[in-house]
Amino acid sequence: MQTLTEIRRKLLAGDYDKKLLELYFEPELLTYQRHRYHQALTEFEKNFGDGPACVYSAPGRTEIGGNHTDHQHGQVLAASIHLDAIAVVRPISEPTIRLLSDGFDLLTVSLSDNFPISEADFGTTKSLIRGVCRGFVNNGFSVGGFEAYVTSDVLIGAGLSSSAAFETLLGTILSSLYNEEKVDAITIAKIGQYAENAYFGKPCGLMDQMACSVGNLVHIDFANPDAPIVNRVDVDFDKSGYTLCITDTKGSHANLTPDYAAIPAEMKAAATVLGKEFLGQVSLMDVYANLTAIREKAGDRAALRAIHFVEENKRVPLEAEALRRKDMPAFLNLIKASGNSSYKYLQNVYSTQDVSTQNVSLALALSEHLLSGEGADRVHGGGFAGTMEAFVPNEKVSAYRTGMDELFGKDACKVLHIRKCGGVSVM
């Protein structure tokens, strides 16, 4: 393990530039990333003192296909992205994790109390730390103390999975420091989901954590969530003629947990009517043949969400195959169909708690206007108040970003690059 002084010297000398380019793609971002890492090293030293340390990175994720399919044992197409969380870390002998995040107070978590679940801590960073540690112990792995300074470029509440990036970061640190890097990416993802479900109090599926931990663009089949089938999909969007853009509509996620939780609950209710536990076990014919029963026992919205699931689940492998064939027209048509289904059937574009606020709907309307029939767009991730994604013709990217930023604020629209790796040691 190198000293902070040695890491800083190599960073400023450009010794890590090759690694940084692998993670962040654009040469013009090198100056920013060097400054970002240097600042993190400085903040760590300021709070925890000089000495040996190491630096880790974990990416955010983007959902390409499979909107709300993972929690029903369905299929998804997702990718890690160049926006990431980084941590400067030092192991300590004390059974304590001391973690300072940029802009927040120091958190201290004891490793000596068996990590009981506390509903009072739901929704907090501390709960995720405790949950990941408990997950490691449950899976027979070791945990130990460390000090860390964390800073993140993964937008919080913008649908890019800042919490999954953080869980992956913690898992990567614990695997490296105390388990000889033997905890595989899929296990780290499962532990992250466990932490988010049991300790954070959010009933999410496994897609976010898998995309952050495994890395690259991946087609994942969750028919058996204990052993998901993961296949890489090699594609270079930069050479496809289209650029992947994400627009943060700046909507508040406060009080939206009931909206998110209602989706898996209603989908499971529809599956129960059909005698199954999850919709991944039913066919489109099953749903349409039993629509009357689903309506009567689970409600109309549950019936519509069931229709969305079975149709969306069929689209995912077609999207992956279209990308493998480099058939962008077919892929874009599938993305349009996905967005249409999410809006009409899944109904996760705005919250019925406040129908006067429809920032994602407005973003989609403006996006269609700016694209003028080209490319494709759809709601992104959980929905209701977060982001929308668009595949924008390269020649329209500048005008597209300007138009979206004028409505939603400076840098609301970002270009995303697909990162080839998940959680890693950088320095």
Side-chain angles (χ1 to χ4, degrees), residues 109-414:
V109 175
S110 171
L111 305 182
S112 306
D113 61 358
N114 206 32
F115 314 110
I117 295 173
S118 168
E119 291 188 13
D121 287 334
F122 276 6
T124 67
T125 301
K126 181 177 287 189
S127 70
L128 290 178
I129 298 172
R130 296 168 67 84
V132 169
C133 289
R134 180 73 257 173
F136 264 69
V137 172
N138 288 350
N139 283 271
F141 298 114
S142 300
V143 297
F146 62 83
E147 298 168 326
Y149 175 81
V150 175
T151 184
S152 179
D153 278 351
V154 184
L155 304 175
I156 297 174
L160 300 177
S161 295
S162 56
S163 58
F166 181 70
E167 293 149 15
T168 299
L169 189 64
L170 291 175
T172 303
I173 292 168
L174 289 172
S175 175
S176 174
L177 295 183
Y178 294 107
N179 295 276
E180 300 178 328
E181 298 185 339
K182 292 181 178 178
V183 188
D184 65 89
I186 292 177
T187 299
I188 288 175
K190 291 178 181 178
I191 290 172
Q193 183 202 22
Y194 164 76
E196 193 144 347
N197 291 172
Y199 281 76
F200 193 76
K202 182 178 179 181
C204 67
L206 187 54
M207 177 184 69
D208 295 355
Q209 290 79 9
M210 284 287 284
C212 292
S213 185
V214 173
N216 201 58
L217 177 62
V218 286
H219 173 203
I220 310 171
D221 188 339
F222 290 111
N224 178 2
D226 292 328
I229 300 171
V230 184
N231 290 301
R232 288 171 58 105
V233 181
D234 290 316
V235 61
D236 188 345
F237 280 120
D238 295 333
K239 295 180 180 179
S240 71
Y242 293 87
T243 298
L244 174 57
C245 294
I246 291 287
T247 298
D248 178 8
T249 65
K250 311 292 177 70
S252 172
H253 282 247
N255 303 317
L256 287 178
T257 296
D259 292 281
Y260 295 123
I263 294 177
E266 290 179 11
M267 286 184 172
K268 288 194 72 172
T272 299
V273 174
L274 301 174
K276 304 296 183 180
E277 188 175 0
F278 299 98
L279 285 177
Q281 300 163 322
V282 309
S283 68
L284 184 62
M285 184 178 297
D286 292 331
V287 173
Y288 275 108
N290 293 277
L291 273 180
T292 299
I294 296 172
R295 292 183 69 197
E296 291 176 349
K297 297 178 181 179
D300 286 353
R301 192 170 67 172
L304 288 165
R305 285 174 165 172
I307 291 170
H308 164 80
F309 172 86
V310 291
E311 292 282 23
E312 182 80 343
N313 205 41
K314 288 165 53 180
R315 273 188 286 270
V316 172
L318 298 177
E319 291 165 349
E321 182 56 32
L323 288 175
R324 290 190 178 99
R325 297 195 315 267
K326 297 182 172 57
D327 187 348
M328 286 303 291
F331 171 74
L332 293 173
N333 283 334
L334 290 163
I335 293 297
K336 291 176 183 177
S338 173
N340 182 57
S341 180
S342 291
Y343 210 139
K344 293 198 303 189
Y345 307 137
L346 181 60
Q347 299 180 26
N348 68 329
V349 176
Y350 61 90
S351 171
T352 56
Q353 297 179 54
D354 179 12
V355 294
S356 66
T357 301
Q358 298 193 29
N359 43 305
V360 178
S361 307
L362 194 58
L364 289 167
L366 177 59
S367 178
E368 289 186 6
H369 171 71
L370 294 170
L371 291 175
S372 302
E374 299 184 77
D377 51 31
R378 64 190 280 273
V379 65
H380 178 267
F384 297 111
T387 56
M388 56 146 292
E389 74 175 9
F391 292 89
V392 182
N394 289 345
E395 65 275 12
K396 288 191 171 185
V397 170
S398 179
Y400 183 88
R401 294 187 68 185
T402 297
M404 300 305 283
D405 286 356
E406 284 178 354
L407 184 60
F408 295 105
K410 189 176 185 297
D411 294 327
C413 182
K414 295 183 179 296

